[in-house]
Amino acid sequence: MCLGVPGEILACHPGPGGLRYGTVRFGAADREVCLAYVPEAKVGDFVIVHVGLALTVLSREDAEETFSYLEEMEQLSELGREADALEREEVP
Amino acid sequence: MGEITCPVPLGDGGRILLAHGGGGRLTRDLVERIFLPAFRNDTLAALHDSAVLERPPGRLAFTTDSFVVHPLFFPGGDVGKLAVTGTVNDLAMSGARPLYLSLGFILEEGLAVDDLVRVVASVRAAAEAAAVSVVAGDTKVVERGKGDGVFITSAGVGIVEARRPVAPTEVRAGDAVLVSGPVGQHGVAVLAVRDGLAFASPILSDCASVVGPALALLASGIDVHCMRDPTRGGVATVLNEIAAQARCEIAVHESAIPVGEDVAGACEVLGLDPLYVACEGRFLAFVPVGDADRALEVLRARPETAQASRIGTVRQGGTPGLVVLKTKAGGERVLDLLSGEQLPRIC
Amino acid sequence: MKYLDEYRDGATAQRYAETLRAVVTRPWTLMEVCGGQTHSIVRYGIDEMLPPGVTLIHGPGCPVCVTPVGILDRAFRIARQPGVIFTSFGDMLRVPGTRDDLLHVRAEGGDVRVVYSPLDAVAIAEREPERQVVFLAVGFETTAPANAMAVRLAAKKRLTNFTVLLAQVRVPPALEAILAASGCRVQAFLAAGHVCTVMGTAEYGPLCAAYHVPVVVTGFEPLDLLQGITMAVRQLEEGRSEVEIQYRRSVRPEGNAHARAAIEEVFEITDRDWRGLGRIPRSGFALRATYAAFDAERRFPDSEPLAPEDPACLAGLVLQGRLRPQECPAFGTRCTPDHPLGAPMVSSEGACAAYHLYRRRTAARPAPAGAA
């Protein structure tokens, strides 16, 4: 299973086995998640959770990139269309 | 009103014994101390072999159902409340005002009497809220291990108030498809207890009577073609059933279907699709497209259906029996029936 | 839900589809590796939004589906044993072995319990010291850290009643096997976002270089997939073959060092048999000697020969991307989620399951020549 869901850490505390756990909110549903693999994670961070363990802290800056990439691509393609239009105009 | 004071003198630390189903003194005690006071009506109190009832003029609607939900108690309800709301909702879906219910209880030996008292209290409260009388009942007890606490079988009778038939066969191309509120709550509420999911504020089952809103819709003069309440299998299953029975194609918009954020989050974590998760207090309505706005007004005026929404349309032409979903991402796909049992013992 | 809903936005998805249209000049064939990606594609209709000429082939990204049926039979034999509590993820319950599945084992009296996490299985073992708890540890590298954690926890607590039955596989060797097979049509990969969240991207560089295929590590939501496809197609159009990360909010080139350290500590790399792909060297994980006490295969020796795959089940071809689910003659008829011939029809990541749920009612194409 590769189901990984993003959730927000509300609180951190020790849990079973002496491991670090967090209360993580998914939408408005809270669950206990093991944070042992993300020792740098803190309250307020979003983590990607798979089978009850956090695998990484979600990077908010990088999260934006999907949208800025699209804008870049659209600008490129707009420039491309303008260039093509100019070429056509120039042909006598 | 009749307080149910527990104690039926039951041996064995207040637990149901096989003898409670035997028909003898213990059975009588159970009926007189727990069931009768809860339902306080002369018909039941007559304790006759059958209930003899006044029948107002009009066509009868009649339904039956069984309730085997596990666990018995869940946030927002229990098997008793379900037994009433599930039954009266089925009657309302035919355009009928529910009048009378009968309830058969199968109790497991060893059930705590306190639990039975709680269930019966829930039945009473739900029956009052739905303005129905419980006029007949039965109790049996099975050996420990042969039941699961409490199973309830119900039958319900009502008088049809709709002036025209309300059924899938009345659905017409162009009809608007409405839903009375956010979906998937009951299934998630039950799973939360089974699965040990904790919530910021507990997700309550939407278990409730929809009689009020359904009859209001009919009384408003709108020509309601069809209504159905999604229970097991959720909204997707009901849409498929109606598409098949009405021999039409239905198109719905995923982003138009209301889903609470808590239900959405729980479904993501559990890998469930809210469209297939059980509701117990919602219904779909098919109305002529020209009446859609007014129907929504009627529903939204009531607190219990304040989030009623239009979710789709019955397509002109199209493939009979097909339900098509316009997804959030913009693509289209078939919203098919799930095979197999997704969430067992959900209602 | 934050960091999910915005990646499902229809208007943005349309814009991506149009951008892609502007980039494509030739037909290209891409393979998405992970079953979760396959489900998302089929569920949201992503493949139908693509310009004609961009084809997606579904990969072997379903760890249950690639587990040979003989291993499943062995698991079910353990589950039948008295005194055993057999634990697994929920979607394993209907995966068929040669004769039956865990649901049947449970109906016949086996104590089969669904857990959400391998750590839950350890907790059960602690609570029930008189019983032997076995956890069916199926998964890709995404799940390996959790399985490693469970074994470490059991070792720390000195549990003598907890073992794991490993069916843990590695993705890069499988991709290489696909590329090396004759007739491979894959020109670029959308690599599995959560596998790489754990492992990083280092293992894919050599593949790019050797086979000249772009590898774009991609997420699971519609916009992730559309961006990943766009990035891969751009590489193809420009003649590049590099590793790129689309799923940057989750994947770093170095992966998760703590998780990788745990995997390294508990597991060693071993050869594994993959359904449909045969034996792939160094494609699985086994418990290291220090943790051998937690190996269910040792605790429950089983000398029965492994059953062969059912020839009627074409899962092998589906997993290689050589057959689409609806092209299989058994699809939707002999093989359905209620009575599946193989794992891909019931696993939550199986391609056949995705098509049966989301595409059964679109017209099935006839099986291509040579597929049977």
Side-chain angles (χ1 to χ4, degrees):
Chain A
M1 279 186 45
C2 274
L3 187 68
V5 189
E8 183 182 358
I9 300 179
L10 301 180
C12 303
H13 39 257
L19 300 169
R20 188 165 166 254
Y21 271 73
T23 305
V24 175
R25 176 161 296 175
F26 303 93
D30 297 349
R31 228 176 192 272
E32 291 298 295
V33 170
C34 179
L35 301 177
Y37 288 132
V38 286
E40 74 280 15
K42 53 195 185 310
V43 171
D45 282 343
F46 274 77
V47 285
I48 303 284
V49 179
H50 172 70
V51 300
L53 287 86
L55 292 184
T56 191
V57 175
L58 191 145
S59 161
R60 293 174 203 248
E61 311 83 65
D62 288 322
E64 256 309 296
E65 195 268 345
T66 298
F67 303 93
S68 52
Y69 180 86
L70 176 61
E71 277 162 20
E72 274 170 40
M73 292 288 302
E74 285 174 326
Q75 277 165 19
L76 274 178
S77 126
E78 182 58 37
L79 287 174
R81 279 199 291 272
E82 285 173 15
D84 287 343
L86 278 176
E87 247 182 55
R88 283 195 293 276
E89 276 178 36
E90 279 168 13
V91 172
Chain B
M1 262 295 225
E3 264 304 310
I4 306 172
T5 51
C6 183
V8 184
L10 304 189
D12 213 311
R15 295 198 172 269
I16 296 292
L17 307 173
L18 279 176
H20 284 107
R25 187 174 35 227
L26 284 184
T27 306
R28 195 187 63 199
D29 281 345
L30 200 68
V31 170
E32 289 186 353
R33 301 254 201 148
I34 294 185
F35 290 105
L36 274 191
F39 304 121
R40 274 284 171 115
N41 63 72
D42 297 331
T43 313
L44 198 60
L47 286 181
H48 207 33
D49 280 344
S50 14
V52 178
L53 307 163
E54 288 307 318
R55 204 202 82 167
R59 303 181 67 203
L60 283 179
F62 183 43
T63 188
T64 187
D65 215 333
S66 292
F67 301 89
V68 296
V69 64
H70 173 82
L72 295 180
F73 302 99
F74 46 87
D78 57 42
V79 64
K81 183 178 179 189
L82 258 190
V84 172
T85 59
T87 313
V88 301
N89 287 350
D90 281 344
L91 292 171
M93 296 297 97
S94 298
R97 177 178 299 278
L99 290 180
Y100 306 118
L101 292 190
S102 80
L103 296 172
F105 287 77
I106 298 181
L107 308 176
E108 185 188 8
E109 178 188 21
L111 173 75
V113 173
D114 284 349
D115 283 348
L116 178 62
V117 169
R118 267 176 82 184
V119 168
V120 171
S122 286
V123 172
R124 181 182 75 165
E128 267 173 35
V132 284
S133 299
V134 177
V135 295
D138 182 62
T139 308
K140 296 287 189 298
V141 180
V142 294
E143 297 95 321
R144 185 187 300 271
K146 305 284 193 198
D148 195 1
V150 180
F151 293 151
I152 304 180
T153 299
S154 70
V157 160
I159 294 289
V160 175
E161 286 191 354
R163 279 181 285 271
R164 305 210 18 231
V166 181
T169 42
E170 303 302 305
V171 170
R172 297 285 174 264
D175 278 358
V177 185
L178 314 177
V179 70
S180 67
V183 305
Q185 266 177 256
H186 177 74
V188 173
V190 172
L191 263 186
V193 179
R194 280 193 213 164
D195 195 42
L197 265 178
F199 295 104
S201 39
I203 295 185
L204 301 181
S205 164
D206 56 339
C207 174
S209 159
V210 299
V211 174
L215 294 184
L217 212 49
L218 291 169
S220 69
I222 291 170
D223 183 16
V224 180
H225 289 163
C226 181
M227 294 186 289
R228 187 161 296 179
D229 58 333
T231 57
R232 287 173 298 178
V235 164
T237 301
V238 165
L239 287 170
N240 271 277
E241 284 171 1
I242 294 181
Q245 288 164 359
R247 285 201 265 277
C248 63
E249 178 176 319
I250 302 176
V252 292
H253 288 248
E254 191 175 19
S255 43
I257 302 175
V259 181
E261 264 234 279
D262 45 8
V263 170
C267 285
E268 284 297 332
V269 169
L270 297 172
L272 296 174
D273 186 339
L275 297 186
Y276 292 96
V277 180
C279 314
E280 280 290 343
R282 305 284 179 238
F283 65 101
L284 297 184
F286 289 70
V287 303
V289 65
D291 285 331
D293 287 340
R294 198 152 64 87
L296 286 175
E297 254 179 59
V298 169
L299 291 174
R300 288 177 181 162
R302 308 176 67 97
E304 69 269 46
T305 46
Q307 291 179 264
S309 307
R310 178 169 177 188
I311 63 171
T313 311
V314 179
R315 279 190 169 158
Q316 307 280 354
T319 309
L322 197 67
V323 180
V324 175
L325 182 77
K326 180 108 193 263
T327 74
K328 286 179 193 171
E332 252 196 22
R333 65 166 168 90
V334 173
L335 187 66
D336 208 341
L337 282 172
L338 281 182
S339 58
E341 159 211 79
Q342 293 307 297
L343 297 176
R345 303 275 302 281
I346 206 73
C347 59
Chain C
M1 280 183 66
K2 195 147 172 49
Y3 296 116
L4 272 188
D5 290 339
E6 54 270 58
Y7 297 94
R8 294 174 180 167
D9 179 66
T12 317
Q14 259 323 112
R15 286 166 58 199
Y16 255 113
E18 272 151 35
T19 302
L20 189 50
R21 212 173 304 272
V23 172
V24 175
T25 67
R26 275 165 287 170
W28 299 114
T29 301
L30 284 58
M31 174 180 271
E32 90 278 357
V33 174
C34 184
Q37 293 166 331
T38 306
H39 267 250
S40 196
I41 287 165
V42 182
R43 175 183 180 171
Y44 289 105
I46 304 296
D47 50 347
E48 294 174 348
M49 294 171 78
L50 302 178
V54 177
T55 305
L56 291 175
I57 296 185
H58 309 309
C62 167
V64 172
C65 306
V66 301
T67 301
V69 73
I71 307 287
L72 298 176
D73 290 339
R74 182 172 280 175
F76 303 162
R77 284 197 285 275
I78 294 176
R80 290 210 145 81
Q81 294 197 25
V84 166
I85 298 176
F86 194 86
T87 59
S88 80
F89 296 134
D91 64 330
M92 273 303 306
L93 255 52
R94 281 184 293 164
V95 173
T98 301
R99 253 188 320 277
D100 51 19
D101 55 36
L102 284 174
L103 268 188
H104 283 94
V105 171
R106 185 159 72 179
E108 288 164 22
D111 192 343
V112 175
R113 302 193 199 176
V114 169
V115 293
Y116 167 71
S117 167
L119 301 181
D120 296 340
V122 177
I124 293 175
E126 268 191 291
R127 283 199 305 267
E128 310 223 22
E130 301 302 310
R131 314 275 301 281
Q132 279 290 328
V133 175
V134 180
F135 176 67
L136 180 56
V138 178
F140 284 129
E141 295 96 319
T142 322
T143 320
N147 292 332
M149 173 83 69
V151 172
R152 283 201 331 204
L153 198 55
K156 185 167 161 192
K157 292 176 182 287
R158 301 187 202 285
L159 296 180
T160 53
N161 64 332
F162 176 79
T163 51
V164 295
L165 187 61
L166 275 187
Q168 185 76 68
V169 287
R170 300 178 58 222
V171 170
L175 299 191
E176 174 141 32
I178 287 173
L179 286 168
S182 68
C184 173
R185 293 156 42 221
V186 177
Q187 295 167 305
F189 283 112
L190 302 179
H194 291 139
V195 168
C196 294
T197 299
V198 172
M199 300 302 291
T201 57
E203 298 169 299
Y204 298 87
L207 273 180
C208 293
Y211 293 92
H212 306 292
V213 280
V215 172
V216 178
V217 183
T218 305
F220 299 81
E221 301 307 322
L223 295 191
D224 291 320
L225 292 157
L226 286 164
Q227 184 185 7
I229 292 166
T230 304
M231 290 166 71
V233 166
R234 274 184 84 185
Q235 283 206 43
L236 289 167
E237 292 279 339
E238 292 164 19
R240 292 183 286 127
S241 50
E242 295 156 11
V243 180
E244 284 185 294
I245 301 176
Q246 175 280 327
Y247 193 31
R248 286 170 48 172
R249 61 189 184 280
S250 181
V251 178
R252 274 142 217 118
E254 66 276 13
N256 180 326
H258 305 283
R260 288 172 55 203
I263 293 175
E264 179 69 28
E265 182 197 320
V266 175
F267 300 118
E268 59 192 15
I269 292 178
T270 183
D271 298 343
R272 271 229 174 253
D273 291 321
W274 289 55
R275 187 172 195 164
L277 292 169
R279 171 149 300 203
I280 303 181
R282 298 181 54 75
S283 66
F285 288 125
L287 283 171
R288 287 194 186 277
T290 19
Y291 291 100
F294 300 98
D295 187 345
E297 285 191 34
R298 278 201 180 207
R299 178 88 37 108
F300 302 92
D302 183 326
S303 51
E304 260 193 63
L306 293 179
E309 308 290 339
D310 181 349
C313 176
L314 302 181
L317 290 176
V318 173
L319 292 165
Q320 289 179 69
R322 303 182 99 112
L323 187 74
R324 288 195 181 278
Q326 71 272 40
E327 291 165 351
C328 172
F331 178 80
T333 52
R334 281 185 60 197
C335 184
T336 71
D338 283 330
H339 41 85
L341 289 182
M345 184 53 90
V346 282
S347 167
S348 63
E349 299 198 286
C352 302
Y355 274 79
H356 195 272
L357 177 57
Y358 301 124
R359 295 275 168 90
R360 184 169 57 94
R361 306 246 232 142
T362 54
R365 286 187 289 274

